Amino acid sequence: MEQITYFEDYEIGSTRLTSGRTITETDFIVHAGHTGDFFPHHMDAEFMKTTPFGQRIAHGTLVFSVGIGLTANVVNPVAFSYGYDRLRFIKPVFIGDTIRTRTTIAAKEDDPKRPTSGRVIERCEVINQRGEVVLAADHIYIVERKPAQG
């Protein structure tokens, strides 16, 4: 879905919650193949039985990719991603966990490089089925200001 939202229209504190997505063994395998990260923490079930986790843990980048992907259900044609800050892998995600993402508009600021745009900082929290935050990051958007009228 496409929805135009200008810089002035974002409200600090507004939130949204995505639908859920269950992480599967196939996700682990495909992500390892895409990234080349076959680290035993993700791929070796027997090794992981000997660790405090007791089972394989999802790649942090997999959780980040899926969690952020869940937020991409609305396209704003006057905004684009400038990047992410403060990315943290807070708790492990396991095969069979279901994650969803809560976003909160945390801040708005001028963009020193683009006077016709501003920066919107959206706090992203990926949450598991128990309501625990497993990943957090700040997504920075460059968003056009409303066109001058007249």
Side-chain angles (χ1 to χ4, degrees):
M1 174 173 82
E2 183 175 288
Q3 179 181 338
I4 294 175
T5 307
Y6 290 102
F7 177 77
E8 295 84 354
D9 298 326
Y10 283 89
E11 293 183 26
I12 293 175
S14 65
T15 64
R16 66 184 172 118
L17 185 64
T18 70
S19 59
R21 163 95 152 57
T22 301
I23 301 300
T24 68
E25 182 167 13
T26 300
D27 293 322
F28 278 44
I29 294 165
V30 170
H31 192 77
H34 284 160
T35 63
D37 182 352
F38 290 93
F39 206 65
H41 290 76
H42 316 301
M43 306 306 292
D44 188 336
E46 293 305 312
F47 167 73
M48 287 306 291
K49 286 178 184 176
T50 69
T51 72
F53 297 107
Q55 59 184 311
R56 292 178 286 168
I57 57 174
H59 302 75
T61 51
L62 167 63
V63 177
F64 175 74
S65 298
V66 172
I68 295 303
L70 289 169
T71 70
N73 57 350
V74 177
V75 175
N76 183 0
V78 298
F80 66 93
S81 179
Y82 189 60
Y84 296 86
D85 278 344
R86 301 171 44 149
L87 173 62
R88 298 292 180 265
F89 307 122
I90 298 168
K91 287 185 174 273
V93 172
F94 303 107
I95 294 169
D97 281 351
T98 299
I99 60 172
R100 57 192 171 144
T101 303
R102 177 177 53 226
T103 65
T104 304
I105 302 303
K108 293 167 50 172
E109 57 193 38
D110 292 333
D111 185 325
K113 299 178 186 177
R114 301 168 190 84
T116 60
S117 298
R119 294 183 186 177
V120 173
I121 292 86
E122 177 184 65
R123 175 121 334 112
C124 299
E125 296 174 300
V126 179
I127 304 161
N128 65 18
Q129 69 274 12
R130 291 177 297 283
E132 301 166 327
V133 176
V134 298
L135 180 146
D138 287 345
H139 190 181
I140 305 164
Y141 292 97
I142 304 298
V143 184
E144 292 178 22
R145 296 179 186 277
K146 288 184 178 176
Q149 296 190 10

